[in-house]
């Protein structure tokens, strides 16, 4: 069958199809139509780049100068390899001669810091890969091409610099370079980053003027697990998942991490740094009890392993105070351990702190070597590196010097006092709580806090109460007096009006006097449920507080479920919050109060109850304000386990010291004050320099201090100098090995709530950290008084308050 092909039509007979021009050129007259093929705009010139294989060793000097010397960052080998591959591909052979690589490295470093990256730049992370990907999209011909400098834009995203709709950001032929506002600001040394921060602050101010919206409760199991890397001299996050049954090596790392943190803190102290000037006097072998230097001397730590062959010489040791298998005291560090003789030792300052096994201490003394076949060599019978033969005769013992929060974070300002500045830059880029680092968000959050609390805290300020946190300790709900005290306290704050309601109310356990399910007179979970139901009925009568206040509940050792197997003894720290089985009715009370407010006023309220862990942390305005909540009867544990020295005079008659068997120093069988040994001569100037004691927030003079005040000062100085909430052996106070970072107090918090029912209420400031103990809610005695602490966020000071019940 023949196939007929249809002949194509002539152009004149084809149907008319209008053409849509992409960029039509308008005609000068209606008689002229739009051309069918418009003139195409000139395409941007794209110079060809020939990729090269750039060796990381060739880029290392330039990267070191840009990242380390200029921006205080440290590149890992993976990051250096990624940068070498990126620059070789994007910049080609002109990376060195034309200075292309230096511009790229500068932009990567600035973007990394603005994004809140740490000091260690890891090349395998997603953040670093995202930065390189964004920069690659902004490069043309090996150069960073943008209408404005890339480093002056927001660190979150890179703007494309588009102009009118449909136009690209690439430079077009014949376009004049436009001098924008950014270039003029750059010439004056200003950065658009500050302008962007300003706009963000305006949005934050419009978002909320209530300081409670910036409050965040961080549980111990939500806090980042951070350890100190000795090789990198920096803090790093642990990558593995935590476990309740970790390997045995994690137990050793627990004490190693504590030692490494305190060791680097001591070396950052000015007293342990060699003076630069030649006229500094070399410290002689004259005996003194100093652990902190005067302006004429500095001190050097000696590793325990370096004592071998140096019998009769004096040294200063930093180590963990332990009990040897023979029952005597010993001190150990990562290099070894040695027997410790504290017969002639004195505490520095005297009666200023507790010293118990499990603490890291500074001991100044003389080494005596045993000249026998078994002594003088490293063995494997104790310590990390072995036991050193002989003994170390301690002449003075003290805690490691504390470090202020602003020094740790590298802040510079009026808070830094003379004599407390460190030589290092601090750890401002480390995000210790998961709320942002100090360098990234600290200044912005402080400006925001200052703007919210701009008004002076006067009595006629309508929002004065919003800057207060109420702290109640030992709220035993199975006692009728406790419920009556709660009605008194909540009624007092509710009567002030909705605008005067406190920001938060913290209720700390034990919530029951007897431990649950312990087999005693206390029944168990049914009685515990009834106690919390009684609390729900009390707080339901104060709907104004439930609508505008955050209630925070911190459990104690007697609260469920941990007390079911501990029977009221020390439980494992950190411990979880109280189960939802017991708190359901309290949560319904808050939901009903918020629903009532929305129904009556048409406005939603966000009052809430947070059941957190022990310990836990409260973050206010990001890294600007940190509040630690901890419940433990630590003072009694210190008295039971502390080492007593000859010549100690115990002035606290109501709470005498006691020591466990085998933990006493030699010669302790003598009574206090009965020491016939000749007292040691102490350099008065050195003693004055080292005797840094907590400041009591009351009107008592040093000469008229009560025994309770002395005990409070000892407690605060001991805990903050150790930088750890439970400085005891694991047999005395068990700790979850993988969550030990939740117990660290480094950097020092802004405030520490240390609820100790065996101590009276106090407020003390030490090295910029405000420590508060509300004590028992119902004070013992004939008068029925309810005591609590009211913390002022603006002044960063607490006040002990009380009200009479009957």
């Amino acid at each position: 069958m023949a196939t007929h092909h249809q002949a194509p039509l002539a152009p004149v007979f084809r149907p008319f199809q209008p053409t849509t021009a992409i960029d039509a050129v308008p005609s000068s007259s209606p008689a002229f139509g739009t051309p069918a093929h418009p003139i195409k705009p000139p395409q941007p010139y794209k110079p060809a780049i020939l990729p090269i294989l750039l060796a990381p060793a060739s880029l290392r000097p330039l990267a070191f100068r840009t990242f380390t010397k200029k921006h205080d960052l440290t590149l890992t080998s993976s990051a250096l390899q990624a940068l070498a591959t990126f620059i070789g591909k994007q910049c080609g052979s002109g990376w060195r001669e034309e200075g292309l690589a230096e511009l790229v490295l500068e932009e990567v470093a600035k973007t990394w810091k603005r994004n809140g990256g740490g000091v260690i730049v890891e090349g395998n992370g997603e953040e670093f890969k995202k930065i390189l990907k964004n920069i690659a999209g902004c490069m043309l011909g090996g150069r960073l091409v943008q209408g404005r400098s890339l480093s002056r834009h927001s660190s979150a995203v890179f703007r494309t610099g588009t102009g009118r709709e449909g136009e690209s950001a690439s430079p077009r032929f014949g376009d004049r370079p436009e001098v924008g506002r950014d270039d003029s600001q750059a010439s004056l040394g200003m950065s658009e980053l500050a302008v962007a921060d300003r706009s963000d602050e305006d949005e934050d101010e419009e978002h909320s003027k209530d300081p409670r919206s910036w409050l965040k409760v961080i549980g111990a199991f939500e806090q980042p697990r951070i350890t100190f890397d000795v090789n990198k001299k920096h803090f790093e996050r642990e990558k593995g998942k935590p476990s309740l049954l970790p390997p045995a090596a994690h137990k050793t790392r627990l004490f190693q991490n504590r030692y490494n943190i305190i060791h680097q803190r001591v070396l950052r102290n000015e007293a342990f740094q060699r003076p630069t000037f030649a006229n500094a006097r070399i410290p002689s072998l004259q005996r003194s009890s100093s652990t902190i230097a005067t302006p004429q001397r500095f001190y050097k730590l000696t590793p325990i392993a370096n004592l071998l062959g140096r019998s009769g010489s004096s040294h200063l040791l930093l180590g963990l105070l332990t009990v040897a298998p023979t029952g005597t005291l010993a001190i150990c560090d990562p290099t070894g351990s040695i027997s410790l003789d504290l017969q002639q030792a004195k505490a520095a300052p005297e009666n200023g702190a507790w010293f118990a096994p499990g603490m890291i201490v500074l001991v100044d003394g003389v080494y005596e070597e045993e000249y026998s076949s078994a002594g003088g060599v490293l063995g494997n019978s104790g310590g990390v590196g072995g036991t050193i033969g002989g003994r170390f005769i301690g002449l003075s013992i003290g805690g490691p010097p504390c470090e202020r929060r602003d020094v740790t974070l590298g802040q510079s300002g009026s808070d830094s006092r003379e004599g407390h500045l460190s030589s290092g830059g601090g750890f401002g880029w480390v995000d210790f709580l998961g709320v942002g680092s100090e360098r990234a968000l600290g200044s912005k959050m402080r400006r925001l806090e200052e703007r919210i609390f701009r008004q002076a805290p006067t009595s006629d300020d309508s929002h004065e109460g919003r800057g207060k946190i109420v702290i109640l300790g030992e709220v035993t709900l199975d006692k009728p007096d406790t419920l009556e005290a709660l009605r008194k306290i909540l009624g007092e704050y509710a009567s002030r009006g909705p605008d005067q309601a406190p920001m938060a109310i913290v209720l700390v356990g034990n919530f029951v006097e007897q431990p649950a399910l312990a087999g005693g007179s206390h029944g168990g979970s049914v009685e515990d449920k009834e106690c919390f139901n009684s609390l729900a009925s009390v707080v339901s009568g104060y709907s104004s507080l439930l609508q505008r206040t955050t209630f925070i509940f911190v459990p104690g050792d007697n609260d469920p479920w941990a007390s079911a197997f501990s029977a009221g003894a020390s439980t494992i720290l950190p411990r979880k919050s109280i189960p939802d089985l017991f708190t359901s009715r309290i949560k319904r009370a808050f939901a009903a109060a918020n629903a009532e407010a929305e129904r009556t006023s048409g406005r939603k309220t966000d009052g809430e109850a947070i059941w957190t862990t022990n310990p836990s942390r409260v973050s206010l305005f990001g890294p600007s304000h940190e509040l630690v909540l901890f419940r433990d009867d630590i003072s009694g544990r210190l008295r039971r386990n502390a080492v007593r020295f000859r010549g100690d005079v115990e002035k606290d008659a109501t709470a005498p010291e006691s020591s466990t068997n085998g933990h006493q120093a030699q010669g302790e069988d003598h009574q206090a004050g009965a020491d016939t040994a000749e007292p040691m001569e102490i350099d008065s100037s050195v003693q004055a320099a080292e005797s840094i004691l907590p400041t009591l927030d009351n009107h008592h003079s040093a000469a008229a201090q009560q025994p309770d005040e002395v005990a409070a000062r000892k407690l605060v100085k001991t805990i903050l100098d150790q930088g750890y909430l439970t400085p005891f052996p694991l047999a005395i106070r068990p700790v979850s090995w993988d969550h030990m970072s939740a117990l660290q107090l480094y950097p020092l918090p802004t405030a520490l709530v240390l609820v100790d029912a065996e101590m009276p209420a106090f407020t003390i400031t030490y090295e910029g950290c405000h420590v508060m103990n509300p004590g028992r809610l119902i004070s013992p005695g004939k008068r029925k008084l309810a005591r609590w602490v009211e913390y002022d966020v603006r002044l960063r000071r607490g006040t002990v308050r009380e009200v009479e019940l009957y």
Side-chain angles (χ1 to χ4, degrees):
M1 182 176 178
T3 306
H4 298 279
H5 298 279
Q6 186 178 2
L9 298 177
V12 71
F13 297 109
R14 293 175 184 169
F16 174 75
Q17 295 179 358
T19 12
T20 304
I22 299 176
D23 192 8
V25 180
S27 61
S28 59
S29 172
F32 295 92
T34 302
H37 304 285
I39 302 174
K40 294 182 179 180
Q43 297 297 324
Y45 171 70
K46 296 182 179 180
I49 293 296
L50 182 61
I52 64 172
L53 293 177
L54 181 59
S58 303
L59 187 64
R60 183 179 289 110
L62 184 59
F64 176 78
R65 184 166 62 249
T66 303
F67 277 81
T68 304
K69 287 192 173 182
K70 189 172 182 180
H71 293 281
D72 295 331
L73 298 174
T74 302
L75 276 177
T76 60
S77 58
S78 60
L80 183 62
Q81 178 65 44
L83 286 174
T85 304
F86 179 82
I87 293 175
K89 180 181 179 180
Q90 299 291 338
C91 301
S93 58
W95 70 275
R96 188 197 301 269
E97 290 79 5
E98 301 178 17
L100 304 180
E102 187 173 0
L103 297 177
V104 173
L105 294 175
E106 179 74 18
E107 191 57 44
V108 172
K110 288 183 178 180
T111 309
W112 176 267
K113 294 178 68 173
R114 287 198 306 270
N115 286 355
V119 178
I120 309 298
V121 181
E122 296 285 352
N124 299 328
E126 294 296 331
E127 185 68 24
F128 186 77
K129 295 178 181 178
K130 184 179 179 182
I131 292 174
L132 294 183
K133 182 179 179 181
N134 292 332
I135 293 179
C138 300
M139 294 189 67
L140 181 64
R143 299 179 182 275
L144 292 170
V145 178
Q146 235 177 347
R148 300 173 181 86
S149 175
L150 189 66
S151 63
R152 303 195 179 275
H153 293 292
S154 175
S155 61
V157 292
F158 295 100
R159 288 179 282 192
T160 57
T162 56
R164 296 185 301 270
E165 184 179 359
E167 294 184 355
S168 64
S170 303
R172 300 182 58 176
F173 181 77
D175 288 350
R176 289 186 59 184
E178 180 182 358
V179 180
R181 185 175 183 83
D182 297 330
D183 298 324
S184 62
Q185 290 179 355
S187 63
L188 297 176
M190 300 174 62
S191 172
E192 190 186 358
L193 186 62
V195 181
D197 289 345
R198 199 71 181 190
S199 63
D200 293 341
E201 291 173 6
D202 296 338
E203 295 177 1
D204 294 337
E205 185 177 6
E206 295 176 0
H207 173 69
S208 176
K209 295 183 180 180
D210 188 1
R212 193 171 72 90
S213 61
W214 299 98
L215 182 145
K216 181 180 180 182
V217 180
I218 305 171
F221 301 100
E222 303 170 358
Q223 185 178 341
R225 298 187 301 125
I226 297 179
T227 58
F228 185 77
D229 193 318
V230 180
N231 298 324
K232 297 180 180 179
K233 300 294 189 295
H234 193 66
F235 287 91
E236 288 188 343
R237 289 195 180 188
E238 293 190 8
K239 299 180 181 179
K241 293 184 179 180
S243 173
L244 292 178
L245 299 173
H250 291 198
K251 179 181 179 181
T252 305
R253 288 196 330 204
L254 185 150
F255 293 99
Q256 285 181 341
N257 188 58
R258 278 186 57 198
Y259 178 85
N260 292 335
I261 292 178
I262 293 182
H263 184 261
Q264 64 85 23
R265 191 183 78 189
V266 170
L267 294 183
R268 282 161 49 90
N269 191 280
E270 289 185 349
F272 293 85
Q273 297 174 6
R274 182 182 296 272
T276 307
F277 304 100
N279 59 353
R281 181 167 59 92
I282 302 298
S284 63
L285 295 180
Q286 179 183 359
R287 192 75 266 127
S288 70
S289 67
S290 172
T291 57
I292 297 181
T294 60
Q296 290 80 22
R297 65 172 65 216
F298 71 98
Y299 291 89
K300 181 180 179 181
L301 298 177
T302 303
I304 293 179
N306 291 2
L307 296 177
L308 286 174
R310 305 173 70 177
S311 179
S313 57
S314 60
H315 301 276
L316 182 62
L317 305 182
L318 175 69
L320 181 70
L321 190 62
T322 60
V323 178
T326 58
T328 60
L329 287 175
I331 185 172
C332 63
D333 66 5
T335 66
S337 62
I338 188 173
S339 177
L340 190 61
D341 183 1
L342 296 179
Q343 276 190 345
Q344 305 297 327
K346 288 191 176 182
E350 187 175 357
N351 200 28
W354 303 98
F355 300 99
M359 296 183 180
I360 297 177
V361 296
L362 283 166
V363 182
D364 191 10
V366 179
Y367 171 58
E368 283 190 359
E369 188 172 4
E370 286 184 356
Y371 295 97
S372 62
S373 58
V377 295
L378 276 174
N380 57 0
S381 59
V384 176
T387 301
I388 303 297
R391 61 174 181 169
F392 190 79
I393 303 176
L395 300 177
S396 63
I397 182 172
C402 194
E403 187 176 76
R404 295 174 62 88
R405 178 180 177 87
D406 53 353
V407 177
T408 304
L409 299 178
Q411 299 177 7
S412 59
S414 57
D415 292 340
S416 298
R417 301 181 303 174
E418 183 180 0
H420 292 272
L421 297 176
S422 65
S423 61
F427 303 99
W429 288 108
V430 180
D431 185 5
F432 290 95
L433 296 181
V435 296
S437 62
E438 169 62 31
R439 295 285 181 90
L441 298 175
S443 59
K444 176 183 176 181
M445 289 293 103
R446 278 190 293 273
R447 289 196 299 267
L448 179 63
E449 179 183 2
E450 183 180 357
R451 186 167 61 253
I452 292 179
F453 292 141
R454 184 173 297 160
Q455 298 178 353
T458 56
S459 58
D460 57 347
D461 187 4
S462 60
H463 297 283
E464 178 186 0
R466 301 304 289 165
K468 301 293 180 62
I469 297 179
V470 180
I471 305 168
L472 288 71
E474 195 70 9
V475 186
T476 51
L477 300 176
D478 50 354
K479 290 185 176 181
D481 292 339
T482 300
L483 299 178
E484 180 64 26
L486 287 175
R487 292 188 181 94
K488 286 271 188 179
I489 297 173
L490 296 179
E492 177 180 347
Y493 287 103
S495 62
R496 299 181 181 181
D499 294 334
Q500 291 285 337
M503 179 192 310
I505 297 179
V506 182
L507 287 84
V508 185
N510 301 308
F511 293 107
V512 290
E513 188 176 8
Q514 298 295 331
L517 304 177
S521 58
H522 186 71
S525 59
V526 177
E527 285 75 8
D528 290 340
K529 177 67 174 176
E530 292 297 328
C531 291
F532 286 105
N533 291 345
S534 301
L535 176 62
S537 62
V538 171
V539 299
S540 297
Y542 307 97
S543 57
S544 60
L545 293 179
L546 301 184
Q547 297 166 2
R548 295 176 174 269
T549 304
T550 299
F551 282 70
I552 304 173
F553 297 86
V554 181
D557 288 340
N558 291 350
D559 298 323
W561 292 112
S563 62
F565 60 89
S566 66
S570 298
T571 58
I572 299 177
L573 290 178
R575 64 148 295 170
K576 293 185 177 181
S577 60
I578 296 177
D580 296 339
L581 170 67
F582 304 95
T583 63
S584 56
R585 185 167 295 185
I586 297 179
K587 293 179 180 179
R588 288 200 299 267
F590 278 85
N594 293 329
E596 179 185 358
E598 185 177 2
R599 184 174 59 255
T600 56
S601 62
R603 184 177 58 180
K604 292 184 177 181
T605 57
D606 55 352
E608 59 178 342
I610 299 177
W611 303 84
T612 184
T613 60
N614 181 34
S616 61
R617 306 190 183 232
V618 177
S619 172
L620 284 168
F621 302 98
S624 175
H625 204 120
E626 178 185 351
L627 186 69
V628 177
L629 308 176
F630 184 51
R631 169 67 178 96
D632 188 24
D633 294 333
I634 192 172
S635 60
R637 192 175 294 108
L638 285 171
R639 293 188 182 99
R640 291 191 298 269
N641 298 278
V643 176
R644 299 184 63 186
F645 307 100
R646 297 184 64 181
D648 281 351
V649 179
E650 181 58 53
K651 299 180 180 180
D652 192 356
T654 60
E657 294 180 341
S658 62
S659 302
T660 57
N661 295 333
H663 293 186
Q664 302 177 353
Q666 291 88 339
E668 194 180 329
D669 52 337
H670 298 280
Q671 297 294 330
D675 187 10
T676 59
E678 184 178 355
M680 179 181 56
E681 296 182 0
I682 300 177
D683 189 351
S684 59
S685 60
V686 174
Q687 179 72 14
E690 72 182 2
S691 301
I692 304 174
L693 293 176
T695 302
L696 291 166
D697 294 336
N698 50 35
H699 302 288
H700 296 287
S701 62
Q705 290 178 11
Q706 301 297 324
D708 293 340
E709 297 175 353
V710 176
R713 289 169 54 137
K714 292 178 64 175
L715 175 62
V716 170
K717 180 175 174 59
T718 301
I719 298 301
L720 296 189
D721 283 352
Q722 293 296 316
Y724 196 67
L725 289 174
T726 58
F728 301 102
L730 296 181
I732 297 177
R733 188 52 159 161
V735 173
S736 179
W737 302 346
D738 283 358
H739 293 282
M740 61 86 60
S741 59
L743 304 176
Q744 291 285 354
L745 293 178
Y746 189 80
L748 284 183
T750 309
L752 168 63
V753 179
L754 183 61
V755 182
D756 189 342
E758 299 180 0
M759 290 283 294
F762 64 82
T763 58
I764 291 179
T765 301
Y766 178 56
E767 292 295 337
C769 178
H770 191 68
V771 184
M772 299 167 286
N773 176 30
R776 295 180 180 270
L777 179 62
I778 306 298
S779 61
K782 295 183 179 180
R783 295 180 59 193
K784 291 295 183 179
L785 295 177
R787 285 196 177 94
W788 73 97
V789 170
E790 188 179 82
Y791 179 67
D792 195 329
V793 177
R794 328 181 210 199
L795 304 179
R796 304 194 175 187
R797 288 293 182 272
T799 305
V800 178
R801 301 196 55 191
E802 63 181 25
V803 63
E804 190 169 358
L805 299 181
Y806 306 109

